[in-house]
């Protein structure tokens, strides 16, 4: 994920809590089935559920219904300091469909972009897969495995991102490490990623109120002194006009609170503890503009299957992650990934350290991915276990141009690596996307994981 996620609007009883668990609204996780496969045509259905991230929730006083956070500012009487705030404020349960536009049916999850609820207008959402206990996140180790899902993103225009990815969160949402956190995974706490986001309201069980600055272009978001960092495997960041698969790594293991230079903000982007750029395989950016999009080889006007394989150097789960392969299935046909068509690069069709090095050289990009450990570090994160995230969001930082248009805007679009998709450089402004495409929706379904070749 390139910039930070856009946060939702919650004004009255839409939650923006601390780390206590609220009781005003019951928290009932929507059910979602997945399948674990052991071989071809041999998969077992597992009942699971999903939980809404805590940042989207109504945050109110533990003693009543007074907002601890309204718009993009904190109530200083309830939150005079980080620890007191975490004790005074509670995260409440969520009305998943009515407030957030989140619905499930069998093995299908639908995320609607804009939802006009009874007390608020909600923008986007982010959910996590729970394990069989329904109290912790399910952690995945996908080394020498593959992960497969169906996606319908026909209703996702330029400027939106329907994302499915993994991050190295604590399974319990941070409860065991941070005693001030009483809400935990049941209420979606503990998020982190390689952008080291500063907009997370509670980090390490404490309110992120120090140095809090309301956003100048997002009425529902702000940023605090601290960021929250961890390894991130972006299986799928996409809209109907383009898609990318991107591993990102950090020099640290597990969710880590950052401050100062370590967060990699602004001019310190490449001095932080995480690789914010990642090593992306975006077919359009890699030179094939005919592969994925409306009416193309992978036709984004219709549902299709995305298969991602994580190969190791010894074809065992004990090996070192050495290659990430991608293929698609649509209309019963297996579609091989596109190949790179970039001057100075071989015809790569998967992510390896050699591909990453060649891409960074060809595009003149900083190679923070390899400097911070490359695929070996990504594999080490899977060894620890990674939580599954699914989200829909717009981009107040860069208008999603890094995914579907020309980016950065100060470079010549004819320069290799700058053109990332066909969307206009004027697209993606959140005000426009939210007003023009409120019904935009992404549907993820039929999630499967298992040995290579078992899930499709």
């Amino acid at each position: 994920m390139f910039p930070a996620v856009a946060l939702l609007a919650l004004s009255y009883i839409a939650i923006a809590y601390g780390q206590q668990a609220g009781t005003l609204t019951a928290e009932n996780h929507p059910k979602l089935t997945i399948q674990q496969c052991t071989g071809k045509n041999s998969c077992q259905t597992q009942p699971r559920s999903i939980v809404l991230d805590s940042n989207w929730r109504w945050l109110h006083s533990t003693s009543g219904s007074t907002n601890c956070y309204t718009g993009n500012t904190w109530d200083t009487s309830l939150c005079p300091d980080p620890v007191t705030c975490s004790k005074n404020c509670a995260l409440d349960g969520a009305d998943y469909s009515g407030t957030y536009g989140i619905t499930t049916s069998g093995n299908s999850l639908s995320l609607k972009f804009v939802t006009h609820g009874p007390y608020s207008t909600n923008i986007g959402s982010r959910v996590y897969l729970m394990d069989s206990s329904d109290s912790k996140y399910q952690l995945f180790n996908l080394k020498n495995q593959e992960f497969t899902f169906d996606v319908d993103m026909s209703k996702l225009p330029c400027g939106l991102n329907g994302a499915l990815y993994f991050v190295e969160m604590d399974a319990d949402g941070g409860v065991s490490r941070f005693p001030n956190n009483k809400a935990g995974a049941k209420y979606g706490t503990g998020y982190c990623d390689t952008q080291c986001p500063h907009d997370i309201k509670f980090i390490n069980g404490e309110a992120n109120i120090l140095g809090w600055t309301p956003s100048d272009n997002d009425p529902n978001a702000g940023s605090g002194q601290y960021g929250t960092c961890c390894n991130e495997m972006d299986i799928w960041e996409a809209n109907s006009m383009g898609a990318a698969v991107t591993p990102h790594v950090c020099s640290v293991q597990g969710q880590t609170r950052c401050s100062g230079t370590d967060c990699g903000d602004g001019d310190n982007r490449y001095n932080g503890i995480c690789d914010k750029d990642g090593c992306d395989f975006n077919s359009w950016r890699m030179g094939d503009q005919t592969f994925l999009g409306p009416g193309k080889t992978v036709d984004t006007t219709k549902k299709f299957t995305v298969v991602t394989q994580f190969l190791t150097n010894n074809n065992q789960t004990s090996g070192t992650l050495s290659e990430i392969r991608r293929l698609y299935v649509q209309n019963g046909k297996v579609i091989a990934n596109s190949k790179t068509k970039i001057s100075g690069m071989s015809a790569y069709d998967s992510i390896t350290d050699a591909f990453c090095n060649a891409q960074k050289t060809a595009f003149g990009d900083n190679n923070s991915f390899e400097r911070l450990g490359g695929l070996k570090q990504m594999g080490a994160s899977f060894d620890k276990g990674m939580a599954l995230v699914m989200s829909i969001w717009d981009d107040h930082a860069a208008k999603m141009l890094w995914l579907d248009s020309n980016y950065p805007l100060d470079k010549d679009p004819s320069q290799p690596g700058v053109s990332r998709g066909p969307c206009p450089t004027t697209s993606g402004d959140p005000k426009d996307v939210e007003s023009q495409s409120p019904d935009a929706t992404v549907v993820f379904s039929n999630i499967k994981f298992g040995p290579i070749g078992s899930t499709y």
Side-chain angles (χ1 to χ4, degrees), residues 6-9 56 113-115 121-125 220 392 394 434:
L7 291 182
L8 87 166
W56 266 258
F113 179 43
V114 178
T115 303
T121 294
N122 178 69
I123 309 296
S125 59
N220 306 298
I392 183 170
D394 59 2
E434 291 165 17

Side-chain angles (χ1 to χ4, degrees), residues 35-40 42-44 145 448-451 454-455:
Q35 288 192 309
Q36 182 170 11
C37 305
T38 54
K40 196 76 170 179
S42 180
C43 302
Q44 295 295 317
Q145 302 275 299
K448 299 179 181 181
F449 66 101
S454 67
T455 66

Side-chain angles (χ1 to χ4, degrees), residues 16 42 55 156 200 210 213 218 220 225 284 311 320 401:
S42 180
N55 233 36
L156 286 187
I200 306 302
L210 299 179
T213 304
D218 185 345
N220 306 298
Q225 172 180 322
W284 180 289
L311 282 67
T320 298
L401 301 178

Side-chain angles (χ1 to χ4, degrees), residues 65-109:
S65 59
T66 302
N67 288 346
C68 289
Y69 181 96
T70 302
N72 53 21
T73 59
W74 295 86
D75 183 316
T76 54
S77 62
L78 289 168
C79 293
D81 62 78
V83 173
T84 301
C85 187
S86 69
K87 294 178 180 178
N88 284 344
C89 299
L91 292 166
D92 226 302
D95 177 354
Y96 279 79
S97 59
T99 300
Y100 301 99
I102 300 168
T103 56
T104 61
S105 177
N107 64 23
S108 177
L109 166 69

Side-chain angles (χ1 to χ4, degrees), residues 53-69:
D53 179 277
S54 62
N55 233 36
W56 266 258
R57 295 173 179 271
W58 179 33
L59 187 57
H60 61 79
S61 66
T62 55
S63 60
S65 59
T66 302
N67 288 346
C68 289
Y69 181 96

Side-chain angles (χ1 to χ4, degrees), residues 115-181:
T115 303
H116 298 289
Y119 308 111
S120 64
T121 294
N122 178 69
I123 309 296
S125 59
R126 184 169 64 219
V127 301
Y128 312 121
L129 184 72
M130 304 296 283
D131 69 9
S132 58
S133 73
D134 197 39
S135 62
K136 292 184 177 181
Y137 305 131
Q138 176 150 339
L139 299 186
F140 290 82
N141 180 0
L142 294 177
K143 283 169 50 178
N144 200 43
Q145 302 275 299
E146 65 187 25
F147 185 91
T148 297
F149 62 95
D150 295 346
V151 63
D152 183 343
M153 57 178 192
S154 58
K155 295 182 179 180
L156 286 187
C158 296
L160 279 179
N161 191 334
L164 184 151
Y165 59 108
F166 291 93
V167 294
E168 200 178 323
M169 297 164 65
D170 291 358
D172 65 3
V175 169
S176 60
R177 286 202 293 151
F178 308 112
N180 287 330
N181 181 351

Side-chain angles (χ1 to χ4, degrees), residues 52-340:
L52 176 69
D53 179 277
S54 62
N55 233 36
W56 266 258
R57 295 173 179 271
W58 179 33
L59 187 57
H60 61 79
S61 66
T62 55
S63 60
S65 59
T66 302
N67 288 346
C68 289
Y69 181 96
T70 302
N72 53 21
T73 59
W74 295 86
D75 183 316
T76 54
S77 62
L78 289 168
C79 293
D81 62 78
V83 173
T84 301
C85 187
S86 69
K87 294 178 180 178
N88 284 344
C89 299
L91 292 166
D92 226 302
D95 177 354
Y96 279 79
S97 59
T99 300
Y100 301 99
I102 300 168
T103 56
T104 61
S105 177
N107 64 23
S108 177
L109 166 69
S110 177
L111 303 176
K112 185 172 179 285
F113 179 43
V114 178
T115 303
H116 298 289
Y119 308 111
S120 64
T121 294
N122 178 69
I123 309 296
S125 59
R126 184 169 64 219
V127 301
Y128 312 121
L129 184 72
M130 304 296 283
D131 69 9
S132 58
S133 73
D134 197 39
S135 62
K136 292 184 177 181
Y137 305 131
Q138 176 150 339
L139 299 186
F140 290 82
N141 180 0
L142 294 177
K143 283 169 50 178
N144 200 43
Q145 302 275 299
E146 65 187 25
F147 185 91
T148 297
F149 62 95
D150 295 346
V151 63
D152 183 343
M153 57 178 192
S154 58
K155 295 182 179 180
L156 286 187
C158 296
L160 279 179
N161 191 334
L164 184 151
Y165 59 108
F166 291 93
V167 294
E168 200 178 323
M169 297 164 65
D170 291 358
D172 65 3
V175 169
S176 60
R177 286 202 293 151
F178 308 112
N180 287 330
N181 181 351
K182 306 299 184 185
K186 180 181 178 180
Y187 291 88
T189 68
Y191 183 71
C192 55
D193 65 33
T194 46
Q195 302 307 312
C196 301
H198 288 260
D199 61 354
I200 306 302
K201 298 184 184 79
F202 286 81
I203 302 174
N204 290 14
E206 297 178 357
N208 193 21
I209 61 176
L210 299 179
W212 185 266
T213 304
S215 170
D216 58 6
N217 65 2
D218 185 345
N220 306 298
S223 60
Q225 172 180 322
Y226 297 111
T228 179
C229 315
C230 65
N231 291 292
E232 174 180 357
M233 178 63 230
D234 292 330
I235 299 278
W236 190 249
E237 292 193 279
N239 58 45
S240 60
M241 306 308 291
V245 50
T246 312
H248 299 258
V249 294
C250 303
S251 61
V252 295
Q253 287 282 287
Q255 180 273 326
T256 301
R257 187 170 71 176
C258 72
S259 62
T261 300
D262 281 352
C263 297
D265 303 322
D267 292 341
N268 283 315
R269 183 177 183 87
Y270 301 108
N271 298 321
I273 58 176
C274 291
D275 156 47
K276 297 193 174 190
D277 291 0
C279 174
D280 63 303
F281 198 109
N282 170 335
S283 293
W284 180 289
R285 189 180 189 219
M286 298 316 302
D288 190 339
Q289 300 184 1
T290 68
F291 184 70
L292 185 143
K296 298 184 179 181
T297 303
V298 177
D299 183 0
T300 58
T301 67
K302 304 171 184 175
K303 184 168 73 172
F304 55 92
T305 300
V306 182
V307 183
T308 311
Q309 301 174 327
F310 296 86
L311 282 67
T312 62
N313 62 343
N314 64 357
N315 296 318
Q316 303 288 328
T317 56
S318 61
T320 298
L321 182 64
S322 59
E323 183 178 11
I324 301 172
R325 286 185 187 164
R326 163 61 52 79
L327 56 89
Y328 301 87
V329 184
Q330 191 171 42
N331 299 325
K333 177 185 176 185
V334 177
I335 304 170
N337 194 25
S338 62
K339 294 183 182 294
T340 56

